[in-house]
Every structure is written in C-alpha cells, then in structure tokens.
C-alpha cells in the first residue's frame, strides 16, 4: 500500500535512547528495562515483554478523588520492551528533575514518569476548600516526568517583584518553593450583578515559575480500568 499515511514522519523508527523520549507532539515513547510509572489507561501501544500493574493511590489519593473527583491513577509497567503513552491527543512535554528540585503539578496533567521519582499528593497551601486544584501531586528526586497539556503551555517567571495570578482551572503546575494563596479580583458589586466569571485566582509569589494551559479545564471523563 502507498499513501500519505506511510510518510516517514509517521513511521515509528528503532529506538535510539533508553528511557523517556518524545515520539511526536502528541505521544511519549518509553524504552523500558526494569520498571516505570504511567497514568492508568494512557498506554496506546507497546512491544516486548511488559506487564502492567495497577498501583494504589493511598489514603491521600483516595481523599483527593473523594473531594475533587480528580486523582492520579497510576500503573507500574515492568519488563523489557517499549511503550507509547498519550492522553486524548493532548500535547506532550518532558521535564527533567534534578536532586533538590520540587515540582507540584495537577494530577490531570501527569502522563508518565521514571520510577526513580517520588510523588505525594498534598494540599495546595492557601487555596482553601473553595479553590480549584485543592490537591496537587508533588514530585521530587532525579528523573524525567512526562506531562500533557491541551494546547501549547504558557510558562511564566515569578519574581518577588511580580507575582502571577492564574485561573485555578487552567494551572498545570509550578515550582514548589512558590507561596500560594487565593486572590479575589472581582468586586462585591460585580458579583451581585452576575459576575465576570473570573472571581477568584490562585496567586503565586516568590521566585520560580508557573505553567498554565491555554484553556480552562474540561470535566474529567471516568477512568477506564
């Protein structure tokens, strides 16, 4: 057969490096020799001798799912082979964490990560029960973290002189040394008149960065297990 479908840009070539690499704008390839972690249901193809094992979220993860309907449902992938991961054709990006780095990210944006990374689900300080993204997954250690984002992300530098205010439904993650709190930008009079739809934002102060997706979050689809 012939046709555009078989163009070289679509053909999967032999792996040139172990671990996590970007296959294309929408998928991540992981060459596995041992184990790695991925979002449940995110595997779209694999070859080799691999086993997929569902991993429990712990008490913190169950609490997050009960309160927000969100979570970080994770599976462990073991063996030797290669696997490809994607999430609803969202754009993919890889973050390299070094010892001492701490990155807090919304669970909905996590696609896969090295087993050498540790994560725990923590409350977002200052957000309160009314803030979107009440819980985030905090990653530490040394390794690579694969993320998804609907569209191309906006990455803002935060400085002591210039805090950044972000929509709680659009924020992807931020460097965990930043201070967070809720900020109300809408006056009482405006709220009485029906509001602008932008009443409360998450304010980030200090020195670091924050990543924002160019759209507000859409309702989460039920996880397939």
């Amino acid at each position: 057969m012939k046709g555009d479908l078989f163009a070289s840009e679509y053909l999967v070539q032999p792996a040139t490096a172990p671990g996590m690499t970007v296959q294309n704008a929408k998928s991540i390839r992981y060459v596995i020799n041992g184990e790695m972690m991925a979002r449940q249901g995110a595997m779209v193809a694999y070859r080799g001798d691999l086993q997929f094992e569902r991993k429990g979220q712990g008490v913190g993860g169950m609490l997050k799912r009960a309160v927000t309907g969100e979570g970080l449902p994770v599976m462990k992938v073991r063996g030797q082979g290669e696997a490809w991961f994607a999430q609803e054709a969202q754009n993919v990006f890889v973050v390299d964490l070094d010892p001492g780095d701490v990155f807090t990210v919304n669970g909905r944006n996590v696609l896969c990560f090295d087993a050498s990374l540790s994560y725990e689900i923590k409350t977002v300080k200052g957000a309160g029960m009314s803030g979107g993204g009440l819980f985030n997954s905090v990653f530490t250690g040394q390794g690579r973290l694969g993320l998804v984002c609907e569209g191309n992300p906006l990455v803002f530098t935060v400085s002591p002189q210039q805090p950044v205010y972000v929509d709680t439904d659009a924020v992807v993650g931020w460097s965990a040394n930043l201070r967070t709190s809720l900020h109300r930008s809408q006056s009482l009079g405006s709220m009485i008149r029906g509001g602008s739809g932008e009443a409360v934002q998450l304010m980030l102060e200090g020195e670091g960065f924050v990543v924002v997706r160019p759209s507000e979050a859409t309702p989460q689809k039920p996880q397939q297990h």
Side-chain angles (χ1 to χ4, degrees):
M1 288 186 285
K2 299 180 180 179
D4 293 343
L5 175 63
F6 302 100
S8 59
E9 62 186 294
Y10 303 133
L11 292 177
V12 175
Q13 303 297 332
T16 58
M20 184 187 307
T21 55
V22 173
Q23 175 70 51
N24 56 37
K26 308 294 184 181
S27 64
I28 283 177
R29 175 187 203 161
Y30 203 113
V31 178
I32 304 162
N33 183 17
E35 64 181 40
M36 54 84 63
M37 313 297 290
R39 185 179 195 87
Q40 288 178 19
M43 185 275 293
V44 295
Y46 80 92
R47 53 191 178 191
D49 183 15
L50 297 177
Q51 295 82 42
F52 300 83
E53 174 188 335
R54 179 174 177 173
K55 187 175 184 296
Q57 298 183 59
V59 175
M62 290 188 291
L63 175 62
K64 173 172 180 175
R65 181 175 293 278
V67 173
T68 67
E70 299 176 2
L72 180 52
V74 169
M75 62 182 177
K76 182 179 292 185
V77 186
R78 301 174 182 266
Q80 291 186 316
E82 49 190 341
W84 286 260
F85 301 95
Q87 182 78 11
E88 298 180 347
Q90 295 185 53
N91 292 348
V92 300
F93 303 90
V94 173
V95 177
D96 289 284
L97 273 71
D98 292 320
D101 290 341
V102 184
F103 185 42
T104 178
V105 60
N106 195 303
R108 67 179 175 237
N109 297 104
V110 175
L111 183 64
C112 56
F113 53 96
D114 289 343
S116 58
L117 293 179
S118 299
Y119 78 97
E120 56 181 325
I121 296 174
K122 292 186 176 181
T123 58
V124 177
K125 292 182 179 179
M129 291 300 293
S130 62
L134 173 64
F135 295 87
N136 263 16
S137 299
V138 181
F139 285 85
T140 56
Q142 183 171 18
R144 310 197 90 188
L145 169 64
L147 301 177
V148 292
C149 180
E150 190 175 277
N152 290 326
L154 304 168
V155 181
F156 295 92
T157 299
V158 182
S159 68
Q161 298 77 28
Q162 195 168 36
V164 176
Y165 305 84
V166 299
D167 189 305
T168 56
D169 288 328
V171 64
V172 172
W174 60 89
S175 47
N177 58 308
L178 294 176
R179 299 186 305 277
T180 57
S181 61
L182 284 185
H183 174 76
R184 187 174 299 280
S185 61
Q186 190 173 159
S187 67
L188 179 60
S190 176
M191 294 176 65
I192 293 174
R193 291 191 294 273
S196 65
E198 304 293 345
V200 177
Q201 296 82 39
L202 187 68
M203 180 171 68
L204 298 109
E205 300 176 279
E207 190 166 356
F209 66 89
V210 57
V211 183
V212 178
R213 53 185 260 170
S215 66
E216 293 188 350
T218 54
Q220 294 286 296
K221 296 181 179 179
Q223 289 291 327
Q224 300 297 319
H225 302 306

